[in-house]
Amino acid sequence: NSDGSHRVPESRRLLYVGVLSAGRFLRTRISACNRTWGQDVARGDMQFFVGTPPQEPYSTHSVVTLDGLSDHEYPPQQKAFRMLRYMCDNYLDKYNWFLRADDDAYFRIAKIRKWLATRDPNVRYYIGQAGYGRDLDKGRLHLPGDDNFCMGGPGVIMSRAAMQGICPHLEACMQDNITRSTGEEDVEIGRCFTKYLGVLCTSAYDFMELFYHSYPQEYSVHPYLYLNDRLTDKVFPKALTLHHVKVSYVMYDLRSYFLAQSRLQWRDTALARRAGLERQTDE
C-alpha cells in the first residue's frame, strides 16, 4: 500500500502460542503459565505440547499429546519439530504470527501483540534472540560463517509467510544427518530456516533486550531478586519475554509486578488527562 501499511485478512487471528512442556508439569509450570501471562492470550489461541499425557484431568488447560515422544528428551528436538508440524497442519491459515514458547519463560502478551501489529506477516520473519553456539560447540554444531539461530528459551516468533515457507521442509530437516547428530533443538530449527528459506534470526542488539535471557538467573530462584534496580529500570521496560523462570511462584510474582505497573501507568495517564482538562477549563 502507498501509505506503508499492510493488509491481512480480517478472518485471521493475530497470534498463536505453542508452549513446549511435559505432562509431569501440569500442576506446576503449565498451571503457572496458564494463570499468569496466559490470561492475556485470547481463548483458544494457546496450547501446551507434551510427550506423555498428564495423569490427572486438565480441562482448564489445552494440552496436545505428541504420541511416541518422551518428555525426558533434552534438548526437546523432536518435540519442537513436531509442534511446528502441528501448527502447519492445523493453524497455518488461521493466524498471522506463531510463537514457539517454553514453559519456563514469561511472555508479555499485550506488549507482544502491540509490537506485532506494526509488522507485516507476509514477510518471512524469524524473530528472537540470536545465538551462535558456545566456542567449544562450534565444530559440533556445524554452523558455517556467521549463521545463527533463534535461541529457544526466550521464545521465537515466526510470521505466517515464514511458516508457509518452512512447513514443506520440516520432515527433511528432522531427518537431516547433522540435525540428528547434534541433538539440538533451536540450532536445528534455525538451520532449517537458513537452509531452505535463506532466513537468519534477527541479530540486532535490541533483540537481546526484547527477548531477554537471564544468564545469572536473576528472577529464577529467589522471589525478590527480580526487584533489583537493573531489572526493574533497565530490563523490564523493554522486554517482551523473560527467560528463564524455573520456580512457579516467581511466575506469579512477575504477574503481580506487571499488573501493578499497568495500574500505575493507567493512574498516571488518567491524572495527566484530568489535569489537561482542568487547564482547558481554566482558560
Side-chain angles (χ1 to χ4, degrees):
N1 297 345
S2 58
D3 62 359
S5 63
H6 48 269
R7 291 183 179 178
V8 295
E10 293 183 4
S11 59
R12 286 202 202 110
R13 299 175 70 84
L14 181 68
L15 178 66
Y16 172 83
V17 182
V19 187
L20 291 174
S21 191
R24 66 185 183 278
F25 292 142
L26 179 70
R27 288 185 174 274
T28 53
R29 295 184 186 180
I30 291 177
S31 182
C33 290
N34 212 39
R35 294 175 178 175
T36 57
W37 60 267
Q39 293 295 301
D40 297 327
V41 180
R43 190 175 187 86
D45 290 352
M46 179 168 73
Q47 292 177 300
F48 296 88
F49 289 79
V50 303
T52 305
Q55 298 300 308
E56 51 206 295
Y58 50 90
S59 59
T60 58
H61 312 305
S62 181
V63 178
V64 177
T65 300
L66 300 172
D67 294 333
L69 294 184
S70 169
D71 276 337
H72 298 285
E73 177 198 35
Y74 190 83
Q77 185 188 94
Q78 292 300 307
K79 186 184 289 183
F81 272 107
R82 289 271 300 275
M83 181 173 76
L84 292 183
R85 178 78 266 162
Y86 188 94
M87 293 179 185
C88 293
D89 293 343
N90 294 280
Y91 300 122
L92 190 57
D93 293 325
K94 298 178 181 178
Y95 293 89
N96 288 318
W97 298 94
F98 297 82
L99 169 58
R100 169 248 177 267
D102 271 359
D103 62 6
D104 63 347
Y106 190 99
F107 296 88
R108 303 179 69 184
I109 296 297
K111 197 168 184 176
I112 291 172
R113 291 176 63 89
K114 184 177 180 180
W115 190 77
L116 289 176
T118 65
R119 286 159 175 78
D120 187 354
N122 298 307
V123 176
R124 288 177 170 178
Y125 283 114
Y126 170 51
I127 304 171
Q129 184 182 146
Y132 297 87
R134 298 174 301 174
D135 290 340
L136 58 86
D137 287 332
K138 290 290 186 182
R140 182 178 67 83
L141 297 180
H142 304 284
L143 287 176
D146 294 326
D147 282 6
N148 66 17
F149 56 92
C150 286
M151 294 168 56
V156 181
I157 298 175
M158 297 152 287
S159 64
R160 180 173 178 270
M163 289 292 284
Q164 281 181 308
I166 208 65
C167 285
H169 305 291
L170 288 176
E171 297 300 326
C173 291
M174 283 191 282
Q175 298 303 320
D176 185 275
N177 287 333
I178 294 178
T179 297
R180 298 172 73 178
S181 68
T182 68
E184 297 293 335
E185 174 253 313
D186 46 11
V187 175
E188 298 310 324
I189 289 175
R191 193 190 312 278
C192 200
F193 274 94
T194 302
K195 180 177 180 179
Y196 290 102
L197 303 188
V199 175
L200 294 172
C201 183
T202 46
S203 57
Y205 180 80
D206 286 354
F207 288 92
M208 294 180 64
E209 299 176 322
L210 294 172
F211 294 78
Y212 187 74
H213 179 76
S214 167
Y215 287 99
Q217 301 183 32
E218 295 106 325
Y219 44 79
S220 297
V221 179
H222 192 282
Y224 303 109
L225 291 185
Y226 65 79
L227 293 178
N228 69 68
D229 291 343
R230 192 184 77 79
L231 283 174
T232 56
D233 295 345
K234 303 292 184 182
V235 175
F236 286 178
K238 298 178 181 178
L240 298 175
T241 76
L242 299 163
H243 178 259
H244 39 286
V245 185
K246 294 292 187 185
V247 183
S248 294
Y249 61 74
V250 178
M251 195 80 79
Y252 290 98
D253 285 345
L254 286 169
R255 176 71 171 174
S256 297
Y257 174 83
F258 287 123
L259 285 177
Q261 290 299 109
S262 295
R263 293 189 190 101
L264 288 174
Q265 291 172 5
W266 181 89
R267 184 200 65 182
D268 291 345
T269 300
L271 288 174
R273 186 181 296 115
R274 179 177 178 178
L277 291 173
E278 289 175 347
R279 283 196 297 270
Q280 291 178 12
T281 302
D282 293 339
E283 293 172 356

